[in-house]
Amino acid sequence: MTQEATTSRGPDGTAGRLAGLESRRARAVAPGGPRRRGEYGARERINLLLDVGSFTETGLFVRGRPTGDGSRGPYGDGVVTGYGTVDGRPVCVFAQDPTVFGGSMGEAFGEKTIALMDLALKTGCPVVGLNDGGGARIQEGVASLALYAELVRRNVKASGVIPQISVVLGPCAGGAAYSPAITDFTVMVDGASHMFVTGPDVIEAVTGERTSAEELGGARASNTVNGNAHFLAADEADALDTVRDLLSYLPANNLEPPPRYAPAEAPGAADGARLDAVVPDRLGQAYDMRDILRAVVDNGELLEIQELFAPNIICALALVEGSPVGVVANQPLHRAGVLDIDASEKAARFVRFCDAFGIPLLTFADVPGYLSGVRQEQAGIIRRGAKLLYAYAEATVPKVTVVVRKAYGGGYAVMGSKHLGADVNLAWPTARIAVMGAEGAVGVLHRRELAAAADPDALRARLVAAYESTYGTPYLAAERGYVDAVITPRDTRPQICRALRALRGKRAPMPERRHGNIPL
């Protein structure tokens, strides 16, 4: 009898062991229970996200700790972890499996996820979490809580080092909600995703308030009301496409430059000429700032961040000459582009993200200032509005600003002004850079004259016109060097391209310190 025949017989032979491996592998990848209607499985979701055939799973045969009766949990313990590529670039990914213990985190589940986070940090690649679980696994007690805290610690360690993206595809409750909150971006699916600390039943039991999961923390509420999420997807496939799109703008880590692509063709003369007529002659008339942005960035493409939250400010990723930029712009279509608490916090977080990953900042200003009012003051607009000032002043990436129309008061200072460290500041002839608008300024400066005038309306009109001709222009700021150039609108893209090219080698050393103390 040959050696080959001897080793291949029985369960302990090579063939038997190979068969045993395949049997275990089949059990490990089998669903733990029924899925929700129309839902993809955890591995199917990963395969939709990653390049075809690129996924390598880790921890396939990990099992939960033995229970009191000595039984063991299923393979994988309710989470699928591994690595692969998106558009050929490495990424680590985990997907909670709601068919195993409802996707809740147990000890082995948590250890697998943390091991993946550690791998992502070691290799310097983004990590994407596909969340669909019931929070801490009650039957495992404090061990599951400990692992949530460990996961959050990894999220904090990775913050600003590697991009972290959370996709909420089902429930995400209790301690499970805090990890996505710390990551850079959160994507939710309309009508399917829910994210909250305390569910409707518990709220009703404790406070007597009746609500629904959708109202409390549904995808639409999280994208429009509280800003907990950054993208609203139509379905799971759309959510994963959004992640792929987002990753295309981001570097693998904070030590690598953002990806570069073939430069797009420059817009034609007609496209540039349209910018000359974008800003209405009447100061109070609104227009869509996105018309300007699309004429400046490559192919007119913007990936808006938190598009449905605080729409009075636009935050978006785009390309200019094939290189990623972060765009921050006031939106006159919504509340005249005023800066309120939500807009300030939305933009501050985006500015800090871009700075952390070396993405240059383009700012387009048309801002009447910070929003006044009792409600805003009592809600803390001083402290919370200061976050945007802090973020711009802290940022060391290349910063280019274009003042399109209004830049009044604190709004002028915060929206990428020279005084907060912007490198190149441009202004259109339509820019009005002043402490306040003409009507308000005249009312303050000439109150007594107006009260004593025989025809106060005529006097007011003359004073407003005089103020506008003196202060309602960009030229006083240009005379002082606060604006580097006043340009025709059609020249905006060429001027921005030149500025960004000149700033590629920018160095901006910061004082040695542990970290600053942003007004949280």
Side-chain angles (χ1 to χ4, degrees):
M1 185 177 293
T2 64
Q3 181 67 25
E4 290 81 355
T6 302
T7 56
S8 64
R9 282 185 180 171
D12 293 328
T14 300
R17 288 175 180 269
L18 290 173
L21 170 62
E22 291 305 317
S23 175
R24 287 173 184 265
R25 186 175 287 154
R27 296 202 305 274
V29 301
R35 301 176 188 169
R36 292 188 295 266
R37 186 175 179 182
E39 178 187 62
Y40 290 106
R43 289 179 180 82
E44 290 174 324
R45 288 167 169 171
I46 290 174
N47 289 330
L48 281 172
L49 170 66
L50 300 180
D51 296 339
V52 175
S54 70
F55 181 56
T56 298
E57 187 166 346
T58 60
L60 177 63
F61 296 128
V62 168
R63 302 179 79 170
R65 307 297 176 259
T67 58
D69 61 5
S71 63
R72 301 290 297 276
Y75 288 119
D77 201 44
V79 65
V80 180
T81 58
Y83 52 89
T85 60
V86 171
D87 294 329
R89 302 170 66 210
V91 61
C92 286
V93 60
F94 68 84
Q96 298 171 355
D97 186 350
T99 70
V100 178
F101 299 120
S104 61
M105 179 184 280
E107 186 177 3
F109 177 126
E111 289 175 348
K112 282 181 64 177
T113 307
I114 288 165
L116 183 81
M117 290 290 298
D118 289 342
L119 177 64
L121 273 165
K122 287 178 195 174
T123 57
C125 74
V127 62
V128 179
L130 308 183
N131 297 268
D132 186 357
R137 194 172 297 168
I138 297 171
Q139 56 267 45
E140 294 199 24
V142 70
S144 61
L145 298 178
L147 269 300
Y148 264 124
E150 289 281 356
L151 176 57
V152 166
R153 188 156 66 98
R154 295 312 194 284
N155 290 137
V156 173
K157 187 177 179 181
S159 182
V161 179
I162 54 174
Q164 301 179 80
I165 302 172
S166 296
V167 188
V168 180
L169 298 167
C172 187
Y178 285 109
S179 177
I182 295 172
T183 60
D184 299 308
F185 300 102
T186 299
V187 184
M188 298 182 73
V189 177
D190 197 11
S193 305
H194 301 98
M195 187 164 59
F196 37 69
V197 173
T198 309
D201 293 341
V202 176
I203 286 177
E204 183 176 359
V206 173
T207 70
E209 297 175 282
R210 290 189 174 183
T211 185
S212 65
E214 191 65 29
E215 180 185 22
L216 188 63
R220 194 161 288 275
S222 297
N223 273 273
T224 59
V225 179
N226 53 42
N228 285 337
H230 301 82
F231 298 97
L232 179 67
D235 53 33
E236 292 192 9
D238 183 37
L240 299 174
D241 282 344
T242 298
V243 174
R244 292 178 64 92
D245 196 12
L246 178 58
L247 286 169
S248 71
Y249 291 95
L250 309 182
N253 56 65
N254 64 327
L255 299 179
E256 291 189 10
R260 294 192 65 185
Y261 303 95
E265 288 187 17
D271 294 322
R274 276 197 287 270
L275 289 181
D276 291 347
V278 155
V279 176
D281 290 334
R282 188 163 61 84
L283 184 60
Q285 186 174 342
Y287 63 93
D288 192 344
M289 178 63 79
R290 286 171 294 195
D291 291 339
I292 295 174
L293 304 182
R294 291 187 182 116
V296 170
V297 303
D298 291 2
N299 302 316
E301 294 179 359
L302 296 165
L303 179 62
E304 288 198 47
I305 313 296
Q306 291 185 302
E307 182 179 0
L308 302 177
F309 178 70
N312 39 318
I313 200 159
I314 296 169
C315 296
L317 291 165
L319 298 177
V320 173
E321 291 196 305
S323 294
V325 294
V327 179
V328 180
N330 307 108
Q331 175 55 291
L333 282 182
H334 296 278
R335 309 182 83 176
V338 72
L339 289 169
D340 56 9
I341 287 171
D342 288 344
S344 299
E345 293 185 331
K346 168 184 171 178
R349 194 169 191 274
F350 181 69
V351 167
R352 299 192 88 209
F353 172 83
C354 290
D355 186 51
F357 289 101
I359 300 172
L361 286 162
L362 292 184
T363 303
F364 289 78
D366 184 351
V367 57
Y370 278 97
L371 181 63
S372 59
V374 173
R375 187 172 297 178
Q376 287 282 305
E377 295 287 354
Q378 290 182 345
I381 195 169
I382 294 174
R383 171 178 58 83
R384 297 164 74 181
K387 296 177 186 181
L388 186 53
L389 285 156
Y390 191 104
Y392 266 114
E394 179 188 45
T396 60
V397 292
K399 293 180 281 189
V400 179
T401 298
V402 181
V403 182
V404 174
R405 190 166 64 172
K406 302 182 299 297
Y408 293 154
Y412 157 71
V414 69
M415 288 299 296
S417 67
K418 277 278 188 186
H419 324 291
L420 289 184
D423 301 295
V424 176
N425 284 59
L426 309 170
W428 287 7
T430 50
R432 291 169 163 87
I433 302 173
V435 174
M436 61 176 66
E439 289 285 349
V442 166
V444 172
L445 296 173
H446 304 282
R447 182 174 61 253
R448 293 178 182 174
E449 296 170 59
L450 290 167
D455 188 350
D457 291 339
L459 177 59
R460 177 182 291 276
R462 289 197 300 274
L463 292 171
V464 166
Y467 185 95
E468 282 282 9
S469 63
T470 305
Y471 300 103
T473 74
Y475 299 109
L476 283 180
E479 288 173 12
R480 289 185 169 271
Y482 301 159
V483 168
D484 293 299
V486 180
I487 63 172
T488 56
R490 72 178 68 198
D491 291 332
T492 304
R493 177 179 164 92
Q495 290 282 351
I496 286 173
C497 291
R498 290 173 193 163
L500 290 174
R501 282 185 227 132
L503 291 167
R504 276 181 191 153
K506 178 183 176 182
R507 295 185 181 91
M510 296 291 284
E512 190 172 325
R513 59 183 176 182
R514 288 179 180 271
H515 55 74
N517 190 21
I518 188 170
L520 299 174

